[in-house]
């Protein structure tokens, strides 16, 4: 075989390997996953290491139950004394693993359970929806006056709306949860808002989500965002007017 023929042969073989690689690769990675990532040793490793995380998630679920119960009790009490229910609805959630991981990445939070508990304030979230703005402050004051509730942070986006137009009262509180052998302080993010604020926030959230999916500046989205700022102002006016009418009815 001449040198040129040899070169041609090598080139042809390399080309054939290159062409078959895409077909071989998924097979190789499947085998690798089956033999390594799905091995008994690795599955046991994941299980053991997930235990503290699952324990942590249970604490947050318990803290949500505590806070929800406190609001439900206040709602019952006010339904007697005010003859109306200040709370329209309560929505709660524990942050998904996926969102926790993304936030750890985004905010460069340490990977230990202690770091996560210390730096992440919104793993447990309770959203309280009221009809009237006054009821938001009434409920917040009642919650904070309870002696097992500690205020960690308060952000009043009703008095100081965000540039997006977002309004809500945010409280980061800490509550004790009692387990068989320990008492633990757990943080919960409480968002209090009116029906109008909630309606606005869910619409704005869907725009925010769409915008975060595309890298390019989308002029329609920019236009919609500024229309939403106007909507937020109108909804604030509506909240104030409804509050005023309700007060006048109560005073009749
Ligand atoms: P995060 O790290 O994202 O939780 O922000 P933060 O710690 O600065 O808290 P912030 O009080 O600003 O907001 C927390 C939550 O409030 C968000 O997860 C949303 O649920 C809600 N929120 C805040 N700003 C907006 C907004 O402009 N639009 C909508 N729809 N929701 C908002
Ligand atoms: Mg958050």
């Amino acid at each position: 075989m001449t040198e040129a023929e040899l070169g041609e042969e090598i080139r042809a073989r390399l080309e054939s390997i290159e062409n078959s690689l895409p077909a071989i690769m998924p097979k190789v990675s499947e085998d690798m996953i089956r033999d390594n990532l799905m091995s008994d040793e690795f599955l046991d490793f994941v299980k053991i290491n997930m235990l503290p995380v699952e324990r942590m998630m249970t604490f947050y679920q318990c803290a949500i139950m505590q806070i929800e119960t406190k609001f439900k009790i206040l709602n019952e009490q006010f339904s007697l004394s005010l003859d109306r229910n200040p709370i329209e609805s309560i929505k709660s959630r524990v942050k998904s693993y996926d969102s926790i991981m993304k936030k750890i990445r985004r905010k460069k939070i340490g990977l230990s359970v202690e770091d996560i508990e210390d730096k992440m304030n919104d793993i447990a979230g309770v959203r309280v929806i009221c009809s009237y703005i006054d009821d938001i402050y009434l409920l917040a004051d009642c919650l904070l006056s309870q002696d097992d509730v500690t205020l960690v942070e308060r952000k009043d986006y009703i008095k100081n709306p965000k540039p997006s137009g977002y309004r809500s009262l945010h409280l980061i509180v800490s509550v004790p949860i009692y387990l068989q052998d320990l008492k633990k302080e757990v943080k919960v993010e409480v968002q209090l808002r009116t029906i109008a604020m909630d309606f606005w926030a869910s619409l704005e959230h869907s725009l925010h989500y769409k915008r975060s999916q595309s890298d390019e500046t989308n002029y329609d989205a920019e236009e919609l965002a500024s229309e939403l700022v106007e909507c937020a102002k109108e909804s604030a006016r509506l909240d104030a007017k409804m509050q005023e009418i309700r007060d006048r009815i109560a005073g009749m």
Side-chain angles (χ1 to χ4, degrees):
M1 198 182 269
T2 65
E3 208 170 291
E5 282 169 342
L6 183 67
E8 190 49 46
E9 172 78 17
I10 291 172
R11 219 181 345 267
R13 285 193 184 197
L14 279 177
E15 203 170 298
S16 113
I17 291 173
E18 220 172 74
N19 289 339
S20 53
L21 261 185
I24 296 170
M25 276 316 281
K27 173 87 180 85
V28 171
S29 54
E30 262 199 12
D31 285 344
M32 216 179 79
I33 289 170
R34 211 176 284 114
D35 297 342
N36 296 292
L37 294 180
M38 288 168 82
S39 66
D40 283 347
E41 292 76 15
F42 187 74
L43 292 180
D44 283 346
F45 171 83
V46 170
K47 204 163 151 186
I48 290 166
N49 282 279
M50 278 306 279
L51 268 177
V53 178
E54 277 164 12
R55 225 166 96 90
M56 175 184 86
M57 297 305 251
T58 308
F59 294 154
Y60 284 113
Q61 190 56 57
C62 295
I64 284 180
M65 282 154 59
Q66 289 271 47
I67 294 289
E68 269 195 8
T69 305
K70 286 174 181 297
F71 279 117
K72 285 177 184 164
I73 291 174
L74 287 169
N75 202 33
E76 283 305 310
Q77 192 232 310
F78 284 121
S79 85
L80 279 178
S81 63
L82 299 177
D83 202 23
R84 63 183 177 80
N85 292 319
I87 299 177
E88 277 296 325
S89 61
I90 302 177
K91 300 176 201 166
S92 301
R93 63 103 182 92
V94 176
K95 207 177 183 74
S96 67
Y97 282 117
D98 199 52
S99 306
I100 293 178
M101 296 308 155
K102 283 183 183 152
K103 194 158 187 176
I104 287 177
R105 230 170 38 203
R106 190 159 43 91
K107 301 215 161 173
K108 297 195 168 41
I109 294 170
L111 296 180
S112 68
V113 165
E114 291 73 24
D115 278 331
I116 297 172
E117 284 177 343
D118 186 39
K119 302 274 158 42
M120 228 184 273
N121 292 337
D122 63 347
I123 297 183
V126 176
R127 190 170 285 160
V128 181
I129 321 282
C130 304
S131 295
Y132 303 102
I133 293 178
D134 277 5
D135 290 339
I136 290 175
Y137 292 105
L138 175 69
L139 288 165
D141 288 348
C142 289
L143 178 77
L144 295 175
S145 69
Q146 299 185 6
D147 51 15
D148 57 347
V149 177
T150 312
L151 179 65
V152 177
E153 191 181 86
R154 177 189 176 107
K155 290 186 197 162
D156 191 339
Y157 297 126
I158 299 175
K159 297 217 163 78
N160 304 299
K162 286 200 166 188
S164 62
Y166 178 77
R167 294 181 305 138
S168 281
L169 177 64
H170 288 195
L171 307 172
I172 307 292
V173 294
S174 161
V175 275
I177 55 163
Y178 297 90
L179 300 156
Q180 186 187 5
D181 50 356
L182 92 152
K183 171 188 168 193
K184 193 175 162 59
E185 286 287 331
V186 181
K187 283 186 282 186
V188 179
E189 182 182 80
V190 182
Q191 299 180 345
L192 296 116
R193 27 170 105 151
T194 61
I195 299 171
M197 293 172 195
D198 191 49
F199 185 28
W200 182 93
S202 56
L203 182 59
E204 197 269 351
H205 179 78
S206 56
L207 175 68
H208 194 75
Y209 181 73
K210 276 275 165 66
R211 282 166 113 190
S212 69
Q213 280 183 322
S214 90
D215 300 333
E216 303 154 35
T217 312
N218 181 330
Y219 292 101
D220 283 345
E222 299 306 314
E223 172 64 28
L224 288 175
S226 71
E227 283 184 36
L228 276 164
V229 174
E230 280 313 305
C231 281
K233 287 180 189 156
E234 276 175 43
S235 103
R237 270 196 296 276
L238 182 67
D239 271 337
K241 189 70 192 165
M242 301 282 262
Q243 173 78 58
E244 186 214 312
I245 293 175
R246 192 204 70 182
D247 291 348
R248 277 160 57 195
I249 294 173
M252 276 193 328

